[in-house]
Amino acid sequence: MVGSKRSRKSSLAIRYIIAGVLLLVMVYPYLYMVLNSFADWTQVDRKLIPSSYTLKSYTWLFTGGETGITRPWLGAFVNSIIVSLLSTFLMMMFGVMVAYALSKLKWRGRDTVNNFILFHMFFPAIILLIPSFLIIQKLGWYDTYWALIIPKGVSLWAIFMYTNFFKAVPSVFIEAAKLDGARDFQILYKIMMPMSKSITSVVFLFLLMERWTELLWDMIMVRSDGMLTLNVLLSQMFGPYGSYPGPLYAGSVLLSLPIIILFIIFGKNFQKGMQVSLK
Amino acid sequence: MKENNNRLGWLFASPYLIYSLVFFLIPLVWSFYLSFTNWDLIAPEYDFVGFDNFAKALKSPGVHAAFWVTYKFMMVFVPLVIVLSLVVSVLVHSLPRLKSLFLIGFFLPYLSSGVVSALIVKGLLSFNSPVNTALRKIGINIDWLGTSWSALLIVGMIMAWKFTGYYALILTSGLESIDHEVYEAAAIDGVTGRQRFWKITLPLLYPALYTTLILAFGVTFGIFTEVYQLTGGGPNNATNTWQMEIYSQAFKNLQAGYASAVALLASVATFISIFIIRKLLEKWGARNGWV
């Protein structure tokens, strides 16, 4: 084993380099997006790292430039925020409620509901798309926020995650609280929620990002310009802005902004929560 | 807990129950019903056409393409994403420092929008892009998204790019649950390096690997955004996934009845395929003595 210390050190350095290069390859495209959104228009999609920069893409995005047609980028951004936050809030709230019923309450029918959820989870969702569209129309929700929020207000995955997590919380806590006269809603919000902080941040981030980047549903359920979400608007502009890639990159940066912000806020909790939730 | 909370249980579960009635059970029945009609999504009237939609679907090139494209994607996406996420997790796991920073970095593509990823790839592969300019210099000139094989490959690679970080996280937590003493005991017996990976790490990692494999196979049945954005299912149906086919039939060609029949066929194909894949994976694990 002579010299093993040195070889271990150099192999560690090699591993860091490989991991770093791999990471760079995976993350570079997003850097490319940011750089191109600020790049001089003669250099957009021409260089890996542009050499001269301008804000033209951003001003063009909001004014429509020479086409003179402005698209509701800011409105769509606001729509996305409203829709994603409310949907995610409902998904978390209902997820916690249903999970509490499935893990900590005893009632006739619980096993049936549990099995039914499993069946529901593994059902290919695509078959539901067309009739869901029709139900939305029948409810009079077509082209409204309701269509974007309510049907996306329950997440089977969130129910599943919280159910598993709650099952691991000892019932002693709940019984003690009950002796102190706590009601079930209080137990849920004063005991169960604080105890599940670590997975809550993971569930929140996943649900929010999934909702933020949803395309098919948001595309089908609304029609008017004022109702579009940012993801759908960006998707629709692929064709019309075909010869203006700069503004498209600027729009993409706008769409990706929340991810970056969330990562900065949740980054620390994230790995811890991930570890808990994957076990 | 001796007391029964019948009323409370149903009350707490009610959000899910209402949701599954309105957005699962009713649409499910409705979908069966629609698949026997010739409804066009708009007109108030329609006729029952029996099994015509199914007969038509079974002969349609779009449906044939969707069926096969799914398995072609599988062959590109699953090996690529599994190898990449294994490499990432084993590599990152062996690093003493900056572990979470790396994992979060690799996870970034999973959180970003498919529309954005598609836009970036489209830009990187456009005719005058730095990538293609460099490739032309060495004599390679491919219309990446306009050629059948490369369009399929590119979409498969985008999906792998997206999911690698997510699966690496699952695998890393699998790696972290492996007891260190196992490795130490093995080292005493002289098991190191590559042998250690195949004989110890992989078998102990199998539960996490099984989860990732099932997730990865599942992904191939639900590809939409990337295809819709980049190729629209083309060229020549080469990337026409089930979701793409159903979307175009229902909302572009306005054949809701027919599209419902296609969706039903897609679900059957998905069900059977996933069932077979699960059985095969379990057999594979059992044969190697990993389960």
Side-chain angles (χ1 to χ4, degrees):
Chain A
M1 299 280 267
V2 182
S4 77
K5 202 171 181 187
R6 188 188 290 167
S7 80
R8 215 180 296 157
K9 227 179 197 172
S10 68
S11 97
L12 191 64
I14 291 168
R15 270 180 275 158
Y16 268 107
I17 291 167
I18 298 174
V21 170
L22 214 56
L23 183 66
L24 194 68
V25 172
M26 302 271 266
V27 178
Y28 171 73
Y30 300 108
L31 198 65
Y32 179 84
M33 162 189 86
V34 176
L35 291 175
N36 270 303
S37 76
F38 290 106
D40 192 271
W41 279 26
T42 55
Q43 297 193 344
V44 175
D45 281 337
R46 293 287 195 281
K47 291 187 169 182
L48 283 180
I49 295 166
S51 54
S52 71
Y53 295 91
T54 158
L55 281 175
K56 192 178 167 195
S57 291
Y58 287 89
T59 50
W60 199 98
L61 188 69
F62 294 110
T63 59
E66 58 272 36
T67 66
I69 306 160
T70 51
R71 302 291 302 165
W73 291 97
L74 271 183
F77 187 70
V78 173
N79 281 344
S80 275
I81 291 178
I82 293 172
V83 165
S84 305
L85 280 181
L86 288 179
S87 273
T88 307
F89 174 74
L90 290 181
M91 285 191 270
M92 306 278 293
M93 188 175 77
F94 292 149
V96 166
M97 268 175 76
V98 177
Y100 185 69
L102 292 177
S103 60
K104 291 293 172 204
L105 292 176
K106 266 205 164 152
W107 43 290
R108 222 179 314 128
R110 184 174 87 166
D111 292 340
T112 317
V113 173
N114 235 329
N115 288 332
F116 186 76
I117 290 180
L118 280 181
F119 169 71
H120 188 171
M121 255 175 112
F122 288 104
F123 211 88
I126 185 67
I127 195 172
L128 308 172
L129 187 68
I130 298 160
S132 300
F133 173 73
L134 302 177
I135 286 174
I136 295 296
Q137 283 192 322
K138 286 257 190 288
L139 289 169
W141 289 355
Y142 180 65
D143 210 20
T144 67
Y145 282 128
W146 299 110
L148 299 180
I149 296 167
I150 305 295
K152 293 271 164 190
V154 172
S155 156
L156 297 179
W157 178 76
I159 294 173
F160 178 76
M161 294 294 280
Y162 275 114
T163 304
N164 279 348
F165 191 82
F166 286 172
K167 271 184 189 159
V169 174
S171 295
V172 186
F173 287 107
I174 295 164
E175 274 155 33
K178 274 202 179 139
L179 289 179
D180 291 342
R183 307 277 304 271
D184 282 278
F185 269 105
Q186 287 175 318
I187 293 173
L188 194 50
Y189 290 103
K190 296 218 170 115
I191 299 177
M192 302 304 268
M193 282 309 284
M195 284 184 100
S196 45
K197 236 188 223 159
S198 57
I199 76 156
T200 293
S201 62
V202 172
V203 173
F204 176 77
L205 196 64
F206 264 72
L207 291 178
L208 190 71
M209 287 328 299
E210 215 154 277
R211 189 66 197 89
W212 182 263
T213 57
E214 171 68 42
L215 182 68
L216 188 52
W217 183 270
D218 293 4
M219 193 162 93
I220 290 167
M221 293 305 164
V222 298
R223 186 183 41 196
S224 55
D225 272 2
M227 287 304 304
L228 295 177
T229 56
L230 190 55
N231 202 35
V232 176
L233 180 60
L234 185 68
S235 150
Q236 285 186 355
M237 287 301 108
F238 263 48
Y241 282 16
S243 37
Y244 304 102
L248 274 178
Y249 282 116
S252 303
V253 170
L254 198 63
L255 184 65
S256 311
L257 213 58
I259 310 173
I260 298 158
I261 294 171
L262 280 172
F263 249 107
I264 294 167
I265 301 173
F266 284 100
K268 267 185 202 158
N269 285 335
F270 189 69
Q271 230 237 323
K272 211 178 85 197
M274 206 66 203
Q275 229 114 68
V276 178
S277 53
L278 289 174
K279 263 172 196 161
Chain B
M1 266 188 283
K2 268 185 220 121
E3 52 181 322
N4 266 8
N5 299 304
N6 275 331
R7 216 189 296 153
L8 208 59
W10 288 103
L11 177 73
F12 272 67
S14 62
Y16 169 71
L17 297 170
I18 296 165
Y19 167 81
S20 68
L21 180 71
V22 180
F23 295 108
F24 180 53
L25 287 177
I26 294 175
L28 194 58
V29 176
W30 205 341
S31 189
F32 277 95
Y33 174 83
L34 280 174
S35 64
F36 294 103
T37 70
N38 64 355
W39 194 46
D40 66 356
L41 205 65
I42 297 164
E45 275 135 45
Y46 52 84
D47 294 315
F48 282 93
V49 293
F51 284 92
D52 283 9
N53 285 331
F54 293 96
K56 191 177 142 199
L58 288 173
K59 276 185 282 180
S60 129
V63 170
H64 288 187
F67 182 81
W68 290 113
V69 160
T70 306
Y71 303 108
K72 288 183 197 162
F73 268 131
M74 213 176 258
M75 280 158 68
V76 177
F77 169 71
V78 176
L80 194 61
V81 80
I82 292 297
V83 169
L84 272 175
S85 54
L86 260 176
V87 167
V88 166
S89 61
V90 170
L91 200 63
V92 171
H93 182 65
S94 74
L95 302 177
R97 245 166 260 187
L98 300 175
K99 220 181 269 191
S100 42
L101 195 76
F102 271 110
L103 282 177
I104 286 173
F106 282 114
F107 192 65
L108 209 63
Y110 180 74
L111 291 182
S112 51
S113 162
V115 179
V116 170
S117 306
L119 177 77
I120 297 168
V121 170
K122 203 176 182 180
L124 278 169
L125 295 178
S126 62
F127 185 77
N128 285 317
S129 77
V131 177
N132 277 328
T133 314
L135 285 175
R136 267 196 301 276
K137 269 182 196 150
I138 55 169
I140 299 171
N141 191 0
I142 298 169
D143 177 9
W144 294 100
L145 296 171
T147 312
S148 295
W149 67 268
S150 58
L152 194 93
L153 191 71
I154 295 295
V155 176
M157 282 168 73
I158 296 178
M159 300 309 285
W161 172 38
K162 173 174 181 165
F163 284 95
T164 293
Y166 178 32
Y167 297 164
L169 269 173
I170 299 178
L171 293 174
T172 305
S173 76
L175 284 173
E176 263 160 26
S177 67
I178 297 175
D179 204 335
H180 237 287
E181 284 169 22
V182 182
Y183 287 121
E184 279 159 24
I188 292 168
D189 292 340
V191 182
T192 49
R194 209 172 296 164
Q195 228 183 350
R196 192 175 85 158
F197 177 77
W198 290 107
K199 292 268 154 76
I200 301 170
T201 310
L202 206 56
L204 288 173
L205 194 60
Y206 183 74
L209 194 61
Y210 177 81
T211 311
T212 25
L213 277 164
I214 291 287
L215 286 175
F217 279 113
V219 163
T220 51
F221 290 92
I223 301 177
F224 176 74
T225 305
E226 289 76 5
V227 164
Y228 171 78
Q229 218 61 61
L230 280 178
T231 63
N236 235 329
N237 279 340
T239 54
N240 197 38
T241 59
W242 282 117
Q243 307 237 350
M244 195 62 221
E245 175 68 14
I246 293 160
Y247 169 79
S248 350
Q249 292 303 345
F251 297 98
K252 274 201 183 134
N253 301 346
L254 298 180
Q255 296 187 298
Y258 173 68
S260 298
V262 176
L264 212 61
L265 290 176
S267 306
V268 172
T270 309
F271 250 139
I272 295 176
S273 307
I274 294 281
F275 181 78
I276 293 174
I277 289 163
R278 284 186 96 113
K279 286 284 160 231
L280 286 177
L281 278 177
E282 276 156 24
K283 253 194 184 152
W284 177 60
R287 204 186 56 200
N288 287 301
W290 294 345
V291 189

